[in-house]
Amino acid sequence: MSSGQETISIETREVTKTYGERAAVDQVTLQVKKGEFVSLLGPSGCGKTTLLRMLGGLEQPDQGTIMLGARDVTGIPAYGRNSNMIFQQLALFPHMDVFNNIAYGLKVKKLPKADIQRQVGEMLDLVQLGDYGRRAVSELSGGQAQRVAIARALINRPEVLLLDEPLSALDMQLRLNMQRELKRIQREFGGTFIFVTHDQSEAMNMSDRIGVMRDGRLLQYATPDEIYERPTDSFVAKFIGDTNLFETEVLGHDVNGIRVECFGNPLLVKVSDGNAVPKAGARHSLSIRNEYIRLGEDATHCLNKLDGHVIEAVYGGANIRYNVQISEGFLVQASVLHQRGASRYSPGEPIQIGFDPEDALLLSEPMHDRVQRAGI
């Protein structure tokens, strides 16, 4: 076995799962390295949970291969794989205390009592519940119950832990706390975690890599910063963070970048890494992150400048979100860092917006019906 294979914890090779006429997962190929925290991200019905269940052996693919380490586990059910899964409903045993919930897997293996005592103690320390062993499950808070479920899943030292939106039922502050806890546990345990979520910020906060899915297909699989800064298409760009998407026509290119026409104005932009330079006359999506838009005096230093007027200014604490209508009727959204005591632009006020070529990314696919106009 090569060293490259040794670093792979789990992978799929062109895996497909269909229900009737619909492909819930459509020829998905991905590799997860040992010790990585990977999130599968996408809207409801995109196939992420079906893919996770196939990784865990709860579903079997119609086509393709699943490898757990160097072992082909395609067709092998969950009990025959060294992996474990945590669901949205934690399903802790209500008649058992915390210790016995965590010890259950070891007792099934008939380990000696001393070994069980030691390993459960280690897991309780890992999830920072060292004094909770004899607590009833009914006495636990939501976050404590989550940590007990994690300890129970990790006690048998699975090669991969699969998590199907386990934080979705928690309130916002507890959810943020558990994100940090889960990442800490994963780091200290040293295992491979694959986490399903529809929450973009959750995936960005926790993951080494993110797989963005839509309609059963894996659109992009990369690090959070790569997905945010260099999305492969307009869906990924819009799904991860806040961005402006516009239709452009390519005018040409030179050493400084790609020249396009947008809003009836010539602009200079960049093309996404790895994509071919588009031909003149081609129509493509242009993505500009809200925070990269400069307003007023800050816009005067930008290479690309456009005139418009403020439609709306929404206070968001650290930032103010502006909607600015460009003269040709396009709506641009900008997120500006708010400084205490600083004046704000008012609705109806004329304003100049600006951005530099490296702040505007020309995507590979055309806009189709995604033209962003005022009022849409």
Side-chain angles (χ1 to χ4, degrees), residues 293-312:
I293 299 288
R294 303 289 178 260
L295 298 179
E297 185 177 344
D298 292 340
T300 60
H301 307 292
C302 297
L303 190 58
N304 297 308
K305 292 183 281 289
L306 299 162
D307 294 319
H309 64 274
V310 177
I311 297 294
E312 184 181 35

Side-chain angles (χ1 to χ4, degrees), residues 258 269-278 360-363:
I258 311 297
V269 302
K270 297 291 186 182
V271 68
S272 182
D273 290 353
N275 290 332
V277 175
L361 186 65
L362 198 66
L363 302 175

Side-chain angles (χ1 to χ4, degrees), residues 86-144:
I86 297 177
F87 302 92
Q88 293 180 34
Q89 296 78 26
L90 302 178
L92 296 177
F93 303 124
H95 61 288
M96 296 182 185
D97 60 18
V98 168
F99 181 96
N100 285 294
N101 262 277
I102 298 172
Y104 181 78
L106 301 182
K107 290 182 176 180
V108 170
K109 291 183 174 181
K110 302 186 184 303
L111 262 64
K113 286 185 178 181
D115 288 347
I116 293 175
Q117 190 78 32
R118 176 181 55 80
Q119 291 188 42
V120 172
E122 290 173 354
M123 280 297 152
L124 284 169
D125 288 340
L126 177 66
V127 299
Q128 296 183 347
L129 292 174
D131 298 328
Y132 283 72
R134 296 307 172 189
R135 280 289 175 93
V137 169
S138 60
E139 297 175 354
L140 300 176
S141 68
Q144 290 165 351

Side-chain angles (χ1 to χ4, degrees), residues 343-354:
S343 59
R344 303 183 203 172
Y345 301 108
S346 303
E349 185 175 348
I351 198 169
Q352 188 173 64
I353 75 164

Side-chain angles (χ1 to χ4, degrees), residues 12-15 25-30 51 213 216-218:
T12 65
R13 301 172 182 173
E14 297 186 350
V15 163
V25 174
D26 192 358
Q27 297 184 357
V28 168
T29 296
L30 84 162
L51 178 58
M213 296 187 67
R217 301 190 71 87
L218 186 65

Side-chain angles (χ1 to χ4, degrees), residues 59 63 87 134 139 158 165 185 209 214 262 311 327 335:
E59 302 273 359
Q63 299 175 22
F87 302 92
R134 296 307 172 189
E139 297 175 354
E165 301 201 53
I185 291 167
R209 285 193 288 178
R214 184 190 190 192
C262 188
I311 297 294
S327 55
S335 180

